[in-house]
Amino acid sequence: MNYRHAFHAGNFADCMKHALLISLLRALAAKPKGFAVLDTHAGAGAYDLSSAEAARTGEWRRGIGRLHGITEAPLADYVALAGPTGQYPGSPSLVRALLRPQDRLMCCELHPADAASLRALFRQDPQVAVHARDGWEAVKALTPFPEKRGLVLIDPPFEEPGEFERLAASIGLLAHRFRAAVQACWYPIKHRAPVRAFHDALRTSGVRDLVAAELWLREPTDPQRLNGCGLLVANPPWRFEATASDILAALLAQLGDGEPGQGWTVLRLVEE
Ligand SMILES: C[S@@+](CC[C@H](N)C(=O)[O-])C[C@H]1O[C@@H](n2cnc3c(N)ncnc32)[C@H](O)[C@@H]1O
């Protein structure tokens, strides 16, 4: 396990994932009935952007660092929840901020240091459970939720070969076990071929109602670079495609440097 999110917290990929995640959670919270969230690869939960790790890559400067001060829709909600300059919340903190008393969060994190940080962050919190366990395995063990509604965020580090195949298999498994779950699954866009294969696998998986939202800062042709990223959403809420389009267009306007081939898309892979 080499991946540490502290080097990447608040980068463009976090901005994209978290801005869309917030819109999905807002839609769940529009109904009074309680929901649960499972964050399978949760990270440390909160990050200090003045740390040596964040300073070493400086990635946040081309991400959340460009968004502070935005008070207009569609990014204002995300920017406000991201908090003041110098810190950055991970997905568990963002989810926690949007839980109502009837909702709850389960987080899984395998790295011992990050799992310890998460535990410390939520020690006194009865609405949050932290598990130092394998998130892939938790997709089976912790679903379906007794609440019968909720969201599963799958955000693996993509440091091992076969992660796209594993993700596609997990989406299929979860759709079968817990049909009502909203799934939000992050993936990297380094070059097009693996993403095309992932989309093709999903189109033929039998899983219904799939949308892929993608943002890329340059033509995705260099397999060594994170040129863009995507969020695969299963069971998106009503109007998600329009909401996601607005968010991605606004993000690209702030985060893009006009490099050739930059862009975004919201693609319906499978109908309802
Ligand atoms: C991309 S980061 C997560 C970032 C976090 N979801 C956020 O948005 O703030 C991926 C995390 O998964 C953890 N991890 C790697 N393999 C795992 C596994 N099999 N189960 C649970 N966590 C894992 C890594 O230690 C890392 O902290």
Side-chain angles (χ1 to χ4, degrees):
M1 295 189 57
N2 295 319
Y3 183 93
R4 304 303 306 279
H5 199 64
F7 290 94
H8 311 289
N11 69 1
F12 83 93
D14 261 6
C15 296
M16 185 268 197
K17 169 181 59 187
H18 293 154
L20 295 177
L21 174 66
I22 288 165
S23 81
L24 294 171
L25 292 166
R26 290 279 185 211
L28 276 170
K31 289 187 185 154
K33 188 175 183 318
F35 63 82
V37 175
L38 170 61
D39 189 344
T40 61
H41 297 71
Y47 302 91
D48 173 4
L49 296 182
S50 62
S51 69
E53 290 90 339
R56 199 163 107 199
T57 64
E59 287 182 19
W60 66 271
R61 294 180 188 281
R62 288 199 60 193
I64 190 64
R66 291 194 183 176
L67 305 182
H68 283 303
I70 290 180
T71 53
E72 299 87 38
L75 297 181
D77 195 14
Y78 161 60
V79 173
L81 286 163
T85 320
Q87 319 163 8
Y88 191 75
S91 50
S93 300
L94 287 168
V95 174
R96 179 64 187 95
L98 296 176
L99 295 184
R100 305 158 302 169
Q102 65 269 43
D103 306 324
R104 65 190 177 99
L105 166 65
M106 295 163 277
C107 308
C108 300
E109 171 54 51
L110 259 191
H111 194 287
D114 288 352
S117 301
L118 265 185
R119 282 233 162 89
L121 197 60
F122 296 118
R123 189 177 298 123
Q124 306 290 345
D125 195 329
Q127 284 177 258
V128 183
V130 175
H131 304 273
R133 71 188 292 178
D134 182 2
W136 296 111
E137 187 261 338
V139 167
K140 277 184 256 170
L142 301 180
T143 66
F145 306 152
E147 291 85 351
K148 296 193 171 65
R149 62 190 300 259
L151 181 143
V152 180
L153 173 65
I154 306 182
D155 183 20
F158 278 85
E159 60 181 1
E160 286 170 23
E163 295 272 72
F164 272 111
E165 290 81 356
R166 201 170 194 186
L167 185 55
S170 196
I171 291 166
L173 178 94
L174 186 54
H176 184 68
R177 289 179 62 81
F178 186 14
R179 205 187 156 91
V182 178
Q183 300 190 45
C185 308
W186 185 89
Y187 56 92
I189 302 179
K190 294 183 173 178
H191 63 130
R192 281 280 169 213
V195 177
R196 248 185 252 121
F198 176 58
H199 288 180
D200 287 346
L202 290 170
R203 281 193 185 98
T204 55
S205 67
V207 179
R208 308 298 308 166
D209 204 4
L210 295 175
V211 169
E214 298 184 346
L215 174 75
W216 55 98
L217 299 181
R218 63 192 76 84
E219 194 67 52
T221 47
D222 179 354
Q224 303 307 319
R225 288 183 84 183
L226 186 65
N227 299 303
C229 59
L231 195 74
L232 186 286
V233 180
N235 278 333
W238 187 62
R239 285 192 48 77
F240 175 73
E241 284 154 278
T243 305
S245 298
D246 291 347
I247 289 172
L248 294 180
L251 281 176
L252 188 61
Q254 299 293 331
L255 305 182
D257 284 330
E259 289 188 59
Q262 70 175 28
W264 61 269
T265 187
V266 177
L267 193 65
R268 178 157 278 281
L269 292 181
V270 185
E271 296 299 326
E272 267 180 76

